[in-house]
Amino acid sequence: EVQLVESGGGLIQPGGSLRLSCAASGFTVSSNYMSWVRQAPGKGLEWVSVIYSGGGTYHADSVKGRFTISRDNAKNTLYLQMNSLRAEDTAVYYCATGGITADYWGQGTLVTVSS
Amino acid sequence: QSVLTQPPSASGTPGQRVTISCSGSSSNIEINTVNWYQHLPGTAPKLLISDNNRRPSGVPDRFSGSKSGTSASLAISGLQSEDEADYYCAAWDDSLNGPVFGGGTKLTVL
């Protein structure tokens, strides 16, 4: 059974850093595209980052240069390193299998950027 | 402003058929496939339709998708109260070289 469990969210001050983790089971992270998607309060879904099975990455313009998606093959875990956080990064962050076709999703982790 | 444009809201009564549109451009919908996601507040989004019109296992055949040119549509027939949710279209955008969502449509079952 495929399972995705996010962790690492919380309250952080503007300018701070946070690393989100997504522990996967039931499949191999490195063999799949993997995504981070977020939903800010009262807003729609936004694709944040994608890591391809070959290791290449995509980051939305809104986070480019501040966020980095990566994976640890040995731990079968996906990460999102978030630096220089802004109030507008406040959102529930979901990890998901796949790129544009995201078959499985985690339950999400809340990141709140506030002083 | 989303790259893919959806109406912010839609509604219908139980048993009715409703459609939700998704308008894009030559860099996304026209040349790439469209997926649809259902999102209930407080839960994980769910893949509803892939590759324009394919239903993943477990999705009722009341849900169907179509695409023509730079637009796509999601149709829900035999509307049920549990269909009340937010619906998002998604497609790869070749200009952005990344995936994009529509702004989402909130479906209300009256």
Side-chain angles (χ1 to χ4, degrees), chain B residues 9 19 26 30 40 76 101 106:
Chain B
S9 63
T19 60
S26 59
E30 187 168 51
L40 283 77
I76 309 172
F101 281 110
K106 182 176 183 61

Side-chain angles (χ1 to χ4, degrees), chain A residues 22-113:
Chain A
C22 173
S25 58
F27 73 104
T28 303
V29 165
S30 61
S31 299
N32 289 270
Y33 287 17
M34 295 293 295
S35 294
W36 286 99
V37 173
R38 69 184 179 184
Q39 184 177 38
K43 303 290 187 181
L45 299 175
E46 178 188 16
W47 233 295
V48 176
S49 301
V50 182
I51 185 166
Y52 309 119
S53 50
T57 62
Y58 160 84
H59 294 89
D61 286 345
S62 58
V63 306
K64 201 170 291 183
R66 301 187 298 122
F67 290 14
T68 302
I69 188 172
S70 65
R71 67 191 181 207
D72 184 324
N73 297 344
K75 295 183 178 179
N76 208 36
T77 297
L78 179 73
Y79 299 103
L80 185 67
Q81 178 65 45
M82 304 186 296
N83 299 330
S84 302
L85 281 161
R86 307 167 181 168
E88 54 264 37
D89 295 318
T90 294
V92 175
Y93 286 74
Y94 298 97
C95 69
T97 63
I100 192 67
T101 303
D103 300 280
Y104 298 95
W105 296 69
Q107 285 304 303
T109 187
L110 176 63
V111 173
T112 303
V113 184

Side-chain angles (χ1 to χ4, degrees), chain B residues 10-26:
Chain B
S11 63
T13 56
Q16 259 192 332
R17 182 178 188 272
V18 297
T19 60
I20 297 171
S21 62
C22 176
S23 177
S25 69
S26 59

